[in-house]
Amino acid sequence: MTLHTTPPLGLPMVYLVDDEDVVRDALAWLLRSRRLLSEGFASAEAFETMLDTHPLPGRTDPTKAAWPSAPSCLLLDVRMPGMSGLVLFDNLIERGLLPLMPVIFLTGHGDVPTAVAAVKRGAFDFVEKPFSDNALVDRVERALAASGEAISRQRARQSVQRRLADLTDREREVMHCVIDGRPNKLIADVLNISVRTVEVHRARVFEKMDVKSAVELANVLRDHGNAGG
Protein backbone atom coordinates (compact mmCIF):
# COMPACT_ATOMS: atom_id res chain seq x y z
CA MET A 1 0.00 0.00 0.00
CA THR A 2 1.37 3.43 -0.94
CA LEU A 3 -0.78 6.03 0.78
CA HIS A 4 2.17 8.33 1.49
CA THR A 5 2.55 9.87 -1.94
CA THR A 6 3.12 13.45 -0.77
CA PRO A 7 6.62 14.98 -0.91
CA PRO A 8 9.04 14.22 1.94
CA LEU A 9 9.11 16.50 4.94
CA GLY A 10 11.19 19.66 4.55
CA LEU A 11 14.00 21.00 6.72
CA PRO A 12 13.13 21.37 10.42
CA MET A 13 12.57 24.91 11.71
CA VAL A 14 12.67 26.22 15.28
CA TYR A 15 10.73 29.43 15.95
CA LEU A 16 11.95 31.66 18.76
CA VAL A 17 9.57 34.09 20.44
CA ASP A 18 11.27 36.20 23.11
CA ASP A 19 11.31 39.96 23.62
CA GLU A 20 15.02 40.02 24.52
CA ASP A 21 17.34 40.30 21.51
CA VAL A 22 20.24 38.78 23.42
CA VAL A 23 18.19 35.68 24.26
CA ARG A 24 17.05 35.16 20.69
CA ASP A 25 20.58 35.63 19.37
CA ALA A 26 22.00 33.17 21.91
CA LEU A 27 19.33 30.59 21.08
CA ALA A 28 19.89 31.01 17.34
CA TRP A 29 23.64 30.49 17.81
CA LEU A 30 23.05 27.42 19.98
CA LEU A 31 20.72 25.88 17.40
CA ARG A 32 23.15 26.60 14.56
CA SER A 33 25.80 24.70 16.49
CA ARG A 34 23.56 21.65 16.17
CA ARG A 35 22.76 22.40 12.51
CA LEU A 36 19.19 23.52 13.24
CA LEU A 37 17.53 26.42 11.43
CA SER A 38 15.69 29.06 13.44
CA GLU A 39 13.64 32.21 12.98
CA GLY A 40 13.22 34.79 15.74
CA PHE A 41 10.32 37.06 16.71
CA ALA A 42 10.49 39.87 19.25
CA SER A 43 6.85 39.53 20.31
CA ALA A 44 3.90 37.18 20.29
CA GLU A 45 2.09 39.66 18.04
CA ALA A 46 4.86 39.46 15.44
CA PHE A 47 4.66 35.68 15.44
CA GLU A 48 0.87 35.77 14.99
CA THR A 49 1.29 38.15 12.05
CA MET A 50 3.53 35.55 10.43
CA LEU A 51 0.95 32.83 11.11
CA ASP A 52 -1.71 34.84 9.30
CA THR A 53 0.26 34.46 6.05
CA HIS A 54 0.04 30.65 6.11
CA PRO A 55 -2.82 28.19 5.44
CA LEU A 56 -3.43 26.73 8.88
CA PRO A 57 -5.20 23.49 9.87
CA GLY A 58 -8.97 23.89 9.88
CA ARG A 59 -8.89 27.00 7.67
CA THR A 60 -8.39 25.25 4.35
CA ASP A 61 -9.78 22.33 2.40
CA PRO A 62 -8.98 19.31 4.64
CA THR A 63 -7.63 17.44 1.61
CA LYS A 64 -5.00 20.15 0.96
CA ALA A 65 -1.69 20.53 2.74
CA ALA A 66 -1.66 23.06 5.56
CA TRP A 67 1.23 24.71 7.36
CA PRO A 68 3.62 23.67 8.81
CA SER A 69 4.68 21.17 6.17
CA ALA A 70 8.09 20.54 7.77
CA PRO A 71 8.95 19.56 11.36
CA SER A 72 8.65 22.67 13.51
CA CYS A 73 8.66 23.67 17.14
CA LEU A 74 8.30 26.89 19.10
CA LEU A 75 10.51 28.12 21.92
CA LEU A 76 8.20 30.54 23.71
CA ASP A 77 8.93 32.94 26.55
CA VAL A 78 6.18 33.07 29.18
CA ARG A 79 6.46 36.74 30.14
CA MET A 80 6.64 39.40 27.41
CA PRO A 81 5.31 42.93 26.96
CA GLY A 82 1.98 42.99 25.16
CA MET A 83 0.61 39.53 24.44
CA SER A 84 2.05 36.97 26.84
CA GLY A 85 3.37 33.60 25.84
CA LEU A 86 0.38 31.95 27.52
CA VAL A 87 -2.11 33.93 25.43
CA LEU A 88 -0.19 33.03 22.27
CA PHE A 89 -0.24 29.39 23.36
CA ASP A 90 -4.02 29.52 23.73
CA ASN A 91 -4.27 31.02 20.24
CA LEU A 92 -2.12 28.23 18.81
CA ILE A 93 -4.49 25.68 20.32
CA GLU A 94 -7.46 27.47 18.72
CA ARG A 95 -5.66 27.51 15.36
CA GLY A 96 -5.14 23.74 15.54
CA LEU A 97 -1.35 23.99 15.49
CA LEU A 98 -0.71 21.55 18.33
CA PRO A 99 0.84 18.95 17.99
CA LEU A 100 2.07 19.92 14.50
CA MET A 101 4.17 22.62 16.17
CA PRO A 102 5.11 21.53 19.72
CA VAL A 103 5.64 24.38 22.19
CA ILE A 104 8.51 24.47 24.67
CA PHE A 105 8.10 27.26 27.22
CA LEU A 106 11.11 29.22 28.46
CA THR A 107 10.36 30.13 32.06
CA GLY A 108 11.79 31.96 35.02
CA HIS A 109 11.64 30.24 38.40
CA GLY A 110 8.42 31.99 39.36
CA ASP A 111 6.69 30.83 36.18
CA VAL A 112 7.29 27.10 36.69
CA PRO A 113 3.80 26.31 38.09
CA THR A 114 2.25 28.17 35.16
CA ALA A 115 4.42 26.26 32.68
CA VAL A 116 3.53 22.94 34.30
CA ALA A 117 -0.16 23.80 33.89
CA ALA A 118 0.46 24.60 30.22
CA VAL A 119 2.12 21.19 29.72
CA LYS A 120 -1.03 19.56 31.06
CA ARG A 121 -2.96 21.48 28.38
CA GLY A 122 -0.76 20.29 25.53
CA ALA A 123 2.56 22.12 25.68
CA PHE A 124 5.47 19.81 24.86
CA ASP A 125 7.68 20.85 27.77
CA PHE A 126 9.13 23.79 29.67
CA VAL A 127 12.75 24.74 30.32
CA GLU A 128 13.69 26.89 33.29
CA LYS A 129 16.12 29.78 32.88
CA PRO A 130 19.08 29.62 33.08
CA PHE A 131 19.01 26.41 31.11
CA SER A 132 21.51 23.77 30.09
CA ASP A 133 22.34 24.21 26.39
CA ASN A 134 22.56 20.49 25.68
CA ALA A 135 19.40 19.68 27.60
CA LEU A 136 17.46 22.38 25.75
CA VAL A 137 18.58 21.28 22.29
CA ASP A 138 17.84 17.66 23.18
CA ARG A 139 14.26 18.68 24.00
CA VAL A 140 14.04 20.68 20.78
CA GLU A 141 15.16 17.69 18.74
CA ARG A 142 12.54 15.49 20.43
CA ALA A 143 9.89 18.13 19.75
CA LEU A 144 10.89 18.27 16.08
CA ALA A 145 10.66 14.49 15.86
CA ALA A 146 7.16 14.61 17.39
CA SER A 147 6.20 17.34 14.93
CA GLY A 148 7.37 15.23 12.00
CA GLU A 149 5.29 12.29 13.19
CA ALA A 150 2.21 14.50 13.58
CA ILE A 151 2.65 16.00 10.10
CA SER A 152 3.06 12.52 8.60
CA ARG A 153 -0.16 11.37 10.29
CA GLN A 154 -1.96 14.46 8.98
CA ARG A 155 -0.71 13.79 5.44
CA ALA A 156 -1.89 10.19 5.66
CA ARG A 157 -5.36 11.37 6.69
CA GLN A 158 -5.41 13.91 3.86
CA SER A 159 -4.40 11.21 1.38
CA VAL A 160 -7.33 9.06 2.49
CA GLN A 161 -9.71 12.04 2.26
CA ARG A 162 -8.55 12.76 -1.31
CA ARG A 163 -9.09 9.13 -2.29
CA LEU A 164 -12.54 9.09 -0.72
CA ALA A 165 -13.47 12.29 -2.56
CA ASP A 166 -12.57 10.56 -5.84
CA LEU A 167 -15.14 7.80 -5.33
CA THR A 168 -18.46 7.96 -7.15
CA ASP A 169 -21.70 7.67 -5.17
CA ARG A 170 -22.16 4.08 -6.34
CA GLU A 171 -18.58 3.17 -5.48
CA ARG A 172 -19.12 4.64 -2.04
CA GLU A 173 -22.25 2.52 -1.57
CA VAL A 174 -20.35 -0.59 -2.60
CA MET A 175 -17.47 0.35 -0.31
CA HIS A 176 -19.78 0.54 2.73
CA CYS A 177 -21.15 -2.90 1.93
CA VAL A 178 -17.67 -4.32 1.46
CA ILE A 179 -16.57 -2.91 4.82
CA ASP A 180 -19.61 -4.56 6.40
CA GLY A 181 -18.31 -7.88 5.09
CA ARG A 182 -21.14 -8.56 2.66
CA PRO A 183 -20.42 -10.91 -0.28
CA ASN A 184 -20.87 -9.65 -3.84
CA LYS A 185 -24.18 -11.49 -4.33
CA LEU A 186 -25.72 -9.86 -1.25
CA ILE A 187 -24.36 -6.43 -2.26
CA ALA A 188 -25.96 -6.89 -5.68
CA ASP A 189 -29.30 -7.71 -4.07
CA VAL A 190 -29.13 -4.76 -1.66
CA LEU A 191 -28.20 -2.23 -4.36
CA ASN A 192 -30.36 -3.84 -7.07
CA ILE A 193 -27.46 -4.21 -9.50
CA SER A 194 -25.76 -7.18 -11.12
CA VAL A 195 -23.00 -9.15 -9.47
CA ARG A 196 -20.70 -8.19 -12.35
CA THR A 197 -21.38 -4.50 -11.69
CA VAL A 198 -20.55 -5.03 -8.02
CA GLU A 199 -17.27 -6.70 -9.02
CA VAL A 200 -16.35 -3.75 -11.24
CA HIS A 201 -17.16 -1.16 -8.56
CA ARG A 202 -15.38 -3.19 -5.90
CA ALA A 203 -12.24 -3.36 -8.05
CA ARG A 204 -12.38 0.39 -8.66
CA VAL A 205 -12.77 1.11 -4.95
CA PHE A 206 -9.73 -1.03 -4.15
CA GLU A 207 -7.74 0.67 -6.91
CA LYS A 208 -8.66 4.22 -5.87
CA MET A 209 -8.11 3.53 -2.17
CA ASP A 210 -4.86 1.68 -2.98
CA VAL A 211 -5.74 -1.48 -1.04
CA LYS A 212 -5.88 -5.17 -1.90
CA SER A 213 -8.54 -6.48 0.48
CA ALA A 214 -11.62 -5.50 2.44
CA VAL A 215 -9.69 -5.89 5.69
CA GLU A 216 -6.98 -3.53 4.46
CA LEU A 217 -9.63 -1.03 3.35
CA ALA A 218 -11.32 -1.09 6.75
CA ASN A 219 -7.97 -0.63 8.49
CA VAL A 220 -7.06 2.37 6.34
CA LEU A 221 -10.38 4.07 7.05
CA ARG A 222 -10.12 3.31 10.75
CA ASP A 223 -6.53 4.52 11.10
CA HIS A 224 -6.48 7.52 8.77
CA GLY A 225 -9.99 8.67 8.00
CA ASN A 226 -13.57 7.54 8.01
CA ALA A 227 -16.01 5.87 5.68
CA GLY A 228 -16.99 9.18 4.17
CA GLY A 229 -20.51 9.28 5.62
Side-chain angles (χ1 to χ4, degrees):
M1 184 174 60
T2 56
L3 282 176
H4 301 288
T5 58
T6 51
L9 301 180
L11 292 174
M13 175 64 73
V14 182
Y15 296 96
L16 316 171
V17 179
D18 194 298
D19 61 298
E20 296 187 45
D21 294 345
V22 65
V23 173
R24 296 198 310 278
D25 290 344
L27 288 170
W29 180 89
L30 173 61
L31 294 167
R32 281 198 302 272
S33 72
R34 297 279 282 264
R35 293 186 171 86
L36 290 173
L37 298 175
S38 66
E39 184 176 353
F41 299 84
S43 68
E45 290 88 347
F47 186 73
E48 281 215 317
T49 297
M50 182 275 290
L51 292 182
D52 289 337
T53 67
H54 293 287
L56 301 180
R59 292 189 174 186
T60 59
D61 184 330
T63 66
K64 295 181 180 179
W67 183 88
S69 59
S72 306
C73 79
L74 173 61
L75 290 179
L76 178 60
D77 192 18
V78 172
R79 293 180 183 269
M80 293 179 288
M83 183 188 299
S84 71
L86 293 173
V87 172
L88 176 59
F89 178 67
D90 288 340
N91 293 345
L92 296 179
I93 294 175
E94 292 179 4
R95 290 171 180 256
L97 278 170
L98 271 61
L100 301 176
M101 180 185 291
V103 174
I104 299 175
F105 278 105
L106 301 177
T107 72
H109 177 71
D111 295 318
V112 169
T114 300
V116 170
V119 169
K120 292 180 179 179
R121 295 174 49 237
F124 188 80
D125 206 346
F126 70 92
V127 177
E128 189 176 355
K129 301 175 183 177
F131 46 78
S132 161
D133 290 353
N134 287 332
L136 174 60
V137 179
D138 287 345
R139 295 307 295 158
V140 166
E141 289 179 337
R142 291 189 182 97
L144 291 171
S147 171
E149 292 171 0
I151 292 171
S152 294
R153 289 193 298 270
Q154 181 192 63
R155 288 186 175 190
R157 288 193 298 269
Q158 290 169 341
S159 177
V160 171
Q161 293 297 331
R162 285 191 294 269
R163 293 168 190 272
L164 286 170
D166 194 39
L167 297 178
T168 65
D169 290 341
R170 180 62 84 185
E171 288 167 353
R172 194 177 296 269
E173 290 176 336
V174 170
M175 180 185 72
H176 282 290
C177 292
V178 169
I179 294 172
D180 289 341
R182 299 177 183 179
N184 289 349
K185 178 65 170 65
L186 182 56
I187 296 174
D189 292 342
V190 170
L191 299 181
N192 195 27
I193 55 179
S194 69
V195 172
R196 177 56 183 161
T197 300
V198 172
E199 292 172 348
V200 170
H201 286 312
R202 184 187 185 110
R204 287 176 178 168
V205 168
F206 282 13
E207 179 181 3
K208 290 182 179 181
M209 297 302 296
D210 195 17
V211 298
K212 300 184 184 304
S213 69
V215 171
E216 190 176 357
L217 175 62
N219 288 340
V220 165
L221 294 176
R222 182 195 65 221
D223 295 340
H224 300 301
N226 53 58

